[in-house]
């Protein structure tokens, strides 16, 4: 039986690790390569790097980080942030990324998903969705809306529609990031995650809100997620990767326990 | 010299990096002549059976690969590399290399909770000993990404199995050819160990 995955997300700005709280006030917290090695040695199942570098002329710094990590860390590595074209995706793949995350640029131009899927394979395209809760209405039958630009720009697109469309266009996986929960450490958005996980056949990664091990348990069971993404709860040393996996294993969640 | 066959099959540098990590210097090549003269060969691959076969046959790489296998040199297939070593794949309804008798089938489940592709870490249970599988213990998991699964005709060619609703062959082999459905280069220490054993394997089992 397939194990549930524990994924750590490292936000990188100008080559340094940062963690956003509700997407603003980012704060540097260390060297991404060092953190990646530490988590790998501690049994992490998959790594995500998200490039939040503001200026595009510094993008080569990110390629350098990806390359260094890929030389030392032998688990799947996913990279996103600012991917706008097949060329961006290919550069990151050559640097050592297994999977490419697309987000805002795909909302603005959905063909980006199919173009990337064609170029690097469906299974390597991850559609990352930033989602906020809204009043349920005709425009948003699911009660959730897609936002972009780090949560600042509402797009008038229903989250459930977008998830289904992304799958149809060739996304191999979805990241469901609740911007209401992100950085709060109060738990994942379980209703949203379960709704989208049930609507698609591709794997779903829950993101945003993890603060306690119980939150991971909830989203991998009630939330029906295939993987749970964590950030601050491991970056600041509150929990280790292996502690979280052990906890989930003890609660009866199938996890990879030897590494 | 060890070569990694490049036939437009995606990210080969991750395989190369993992080889470097275990002390195996491997060159990525699209040249069938380099493959013919290699001491050992890695045959990786992601993507689809149809385009992979077109690319292999178009360059004469299929012939070079068969020759190097016939010469008894160690060859390791990975993922799509394994799948196109059977006779036929349901993916693109494609006739494939026929190194090992059998077919490749598409996963299809009634249970909507079983996601396709089969993506993530899953247990690999060794059925019969093989030099490359030595040291794998019960509970060891490897990383998989695939929507189709191999179904060899002869159980003698199946070295390990994995469960995804039902059991499928996750490692197959025949003499000096061995192949895994999982990605050893992305499977942490257990995966690196398999590559390290390939480095020292003389092709017998």
């Amino acid at each position: 039986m397939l194990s549930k995955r524990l994924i750590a997300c490292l936000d990188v700005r100008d080559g340094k690790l940062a963690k956003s709280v509700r997407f603003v006030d980012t704060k540097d917290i260390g060297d991404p390569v060092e953190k990646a090695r530490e988590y790998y040695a501690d049994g992490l199942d998959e790594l995500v790097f998200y490039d939040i570098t503001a200026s595009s002329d510094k993008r080569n710094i990110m390629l350098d980080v990806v390359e260094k990590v890929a030389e030392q860390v032998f688990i799947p590595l996913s990279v996103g942030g600012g991917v706008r074209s097949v060329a961006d995706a290919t550069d990151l793949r050559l640097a050592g990324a297994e999977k490419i995350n697309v987000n805002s640029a795909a909302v603005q131009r959905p063909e980006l998903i199919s173009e990337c899927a064609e170029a690097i394979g469906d299974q390597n395209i991850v559609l990352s969705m930033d989602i906020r809760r809204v009043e349920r209405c005709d425009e948003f039958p699911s009660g959730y809306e897609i936002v972009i630009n780090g949560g600042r720009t509402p797009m008038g697109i229903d989250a459930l529609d977008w998830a289904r469309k992304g799958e149809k266009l060739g996304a191999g996986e979805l990241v469901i990031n609740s911007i209401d929960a992100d950085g709060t450490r109060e738990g994942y958005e379980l209703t949203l995650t379960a709704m989208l996980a049930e609507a698609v056949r591709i794997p779903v990664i829950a993101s945003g809100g993890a603060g306690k091990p119980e939150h991971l348990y909830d989203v991998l069971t009630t939330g029906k997620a295939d993987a749970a993404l964590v950030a601050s709860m491991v970056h600041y040393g509150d929990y280790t990767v292996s502690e979280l996996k052990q906890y989930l294993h003890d609660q009866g969640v199938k996890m990879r326990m030897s590494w | 010299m060890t070569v990694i066959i490049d036939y437009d099959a995606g990210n080969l540098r991750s395989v190369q990096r993992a080889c470097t990590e275990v002390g195996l210097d491997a060159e990525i090549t699209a040249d069938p002549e380099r493959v013919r003269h290699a001491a050992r060969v890695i045959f990786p691959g992601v993507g689809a059976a149809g385009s992979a076969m077109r690319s292999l046959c178009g360059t004469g790489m299929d012939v070079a690969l068969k020759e190097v296998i016939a010469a008894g040199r160690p060859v390791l297939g990975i993922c799509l590399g394994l799948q196109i070593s059977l006779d036929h794949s349901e993916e693109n309804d494609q006739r494939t290399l026929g190194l090992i008798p059998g077919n490749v089938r598409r996963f299809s489940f009634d249970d909507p909770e079983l996601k396709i592709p089969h993506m993530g870490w899953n247990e690999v249970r060794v059925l019969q000993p093989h030099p490359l599988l030595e040291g794998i213990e019960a509970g060891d998991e490897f990383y998989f990404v695939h929507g189709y699964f191999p179904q060899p005709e002869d159980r003698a060619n199946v070295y390990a199995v994995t469960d995804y609703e039902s059991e499928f062959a996750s490692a197959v082999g025949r003499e000096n050819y061995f192949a895994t459905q999982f990605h050893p280069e992305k499977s942490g220490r257990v995966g690196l160990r398999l590559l390290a054993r390939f480095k020292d394997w003389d092709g017998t089992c």
Side-chain angles (χ1 to χ4, degrees):
Chain A
M1 200 172 105
L2 205 51
S3 291
K4 299 284 187 180
R5 283 172 281 158
L6 180 66
I7 303 177
C9 181
L10 303 166
D11 284 348
V12 178
R13 192 185 45 218
D14 301 338
K16 294 227 179 65
L17 197 52
K19 172 59 196 151
S20 62
V21 176
R22 288 187 201 256
F23 286 107
V24 289
D25 293 337
T26 53
K27 176 178 156 194
D28 286 341
I29 50 175
D31 173 18
V33 181
E34 200 43 55
K35 275 284 181 204
R37 284 172 45 142
E38 177 192 323
Y39 296 161
Y40 168 62
D42 201 28
L44 188 72
D45 297 315
E46 192 165 327
L47 254 179
V48 180
F49 279 111
Y50 223 79
D51 189 5
I52 55 170
T53 304
S55 95
S56 55
D57 53 323
K58 287 187 179 162
R59 294 197 62 86
N60 287 341
I61 303 177
M62 189 61 190
L63 294 176
D64 195 44
V65 169
V66 172
E67 182 123 26
K68 283 207 186 90
V69 170
E71 278 166 10
Q72 304 171 44
V73 168
F74 299 98
I75 53 174
L77 172 59
S78 181
V79 182
V83 174
R84 298 187 181 286
S85 64
V86 169
D88 291 342
T90 310
D91 286 348
L92 288 165
R93 288 265 298 166
L94 282 175
E98 206 66 34
K99 305 181 189 179
I100 303 299
N101 287 49
V102 293
N103 191 336
S104 301
V107 178
Q108 289 161 321
R109 201 175 65 82
E111 312 81 71
L112 178 64
I113 300 171
S114 40
E115 288 165 13
C116 287
E118 170 82 9
I120 66 172
D122 285 12
Q123 71 279 9
N124 296 319
I125 288 296
V126 184
L127 176 59
S128 194
M129 305 163 58
D130 292 335
I131 300 169
R132 70 166 185 175
R133 210 177 302 127
V134 291
E135 275 302 307
R136 201 179 292 244
C137 60
D138 287 351
E139 194 185 4
F140 304 113
S142 71
Y144 292 93
E145 180 184 16
I146 297 295
V147 294
I148 63 167
N149 294 331
R152 286 185 297 270
T153 315
M155 294 303 286
I157 297 169
D158 184 77
L160 187 57
D161 284 349
W162 181 229
R164 289 194 174 119
K165 186 169 180 186
E167 178 182 33
K168 209 171 286 172
L169 285 168
E173 221 171 6
L174 296 181
V175 175
I176 315 279
N177 188 41
S178 161
I179 65 152
D180 303 304
D182 185 67
T184 62
R185 298 191 178 211
E186 285 165 11
Y188 296 94
E189 248 273 28
L190 299 181
T191 313
L192 169 69
T193 311
M195 177 175 65
L196 297 190
E198 282 176 345
V200 296
R201 275 315 282 271
I202 52 179
V204 159
I205 301 167
S207 162
K212 290 194 291 192
E214 292 86 333
H215 297 151
L216 278 72
Y217 175 78
D218 290 343
V219 85
L220 293 171
T221 52
T222 315
K224 299 187 183 294
D226 299 285
L229 189 142
V230 294
S232 49
M233 71 187 293
V234 291
H235 298 337
Y236 296 109
D238 300 339
Y239 297 93
T240 64
V241 166
S242 53
E243 269 170 17
L244 292 175
K245 291 183 71 164
Q246 186 64 50
Y247 169 83
L248 291 165
H249 172 77
D250 292 344
Q251 298 300 309
V253 179
K254 171 92 162 59
M255 303 296 293
R256 175 176 69 112
M257 294 309 294
S258 62
W259 53 81
Chain B
M1 182 192 55
T2 299
V3 301
I4 300 170
I5 297 184
D6 177 8
Y7 58 105
D8 200 22
N11 202 1
L12 304 179
R13 281 177 67 192
S14 61
V15 176
Q16 190 182 35
R17 285 189 188 94
C19 287
T20 305
E21 180 71 11
V22 300
L24 179 62
D25 281 327
E27 171 194 317
I28 297 173
T29 184
D31 178 1
E33 276 312 301
R34 303 288 289 170
V35 173
R36 273 192 187 91
H37 295 104
R40 56 189 73 238
V41 174
I42 298 177
F43 180 40
V46 292
S51 56
M53 282 305 291
R54 273 196 301 282
S55 171
L56 283 172
C57 299
T59 57
M61 191 62 94
D62 56 331
V63 180
L65 181 65
K66 284 179 178 169
E67 281 176 22
V68 87
I69 291 171
R73 277 169 255 156
V75 177
L76 174 64
I78 298 173
C79 195
L80 185 68
L82 182 165
Q83 297 196 351
I84 58 183
S85 66
L86 301 186
D87 294 316
H88 180 269
S89 176
E90 279 185 7
E91 189 176 28
N92 317 117
D93 188 18
Q94 177 68 47
R95 202 162 76 91
T96 45
L97 295 171
L99 305 172
I100 289 177
N103 298 296
V104 170
R105 309 266 315 277
R106 180 163 171 69
F107 279 124
S108 151
F109 306 118
D110 295 330
D111 179 357
E113 297 217 347
L114 285 172
K115 305 286 182 159
I116 300 171
H118 173 232
M119 181 190 287
W121 297 80
N122 204 335
E123 197 173 330
V124 169
R125 287 202 314 278
V126 178
L127 287 191
Q128 47 176 330
H130 189 283
L132 297 191
L133 298 178
E134 245 172 70
I136 293 180
E137 289 172 13
D140 281 351
E141 298 185 21
F142 290 80
Y143 187 75
F144 290 84
V145 187
H146 58 122
Y148 294 77
F149 65 95
Q151 211 170 43
E153 264 165 34
D154 188 348
R155 197 72 174 167
N157 295 135
V158 179
Y159 283 88
V161 290
T162 294
D163 289 326
Y164 197 48
E165 190 175 59
S166 55
E167 188 183 279
F168 70 88
S170 49
V172 304
R174 186 179 181 180
E175 296 164 354
N176 53 315
Y177 178 74
F178 189 82
T180 63
Q181 181 57 64
F182 52 85
H183 289 269
E185 78 280 12
K186 287 285 158 191
S187 295
R189 275 216 324 242
V190 291
L192 294 176
R193 195 161 58 207
L194 189 150
L195 292 172
R197 292 193 182 281
F198 178 67
K199 180 184 72 166
D200 300 326
W201 186 37
D202 64 1
T204 61
C205 50

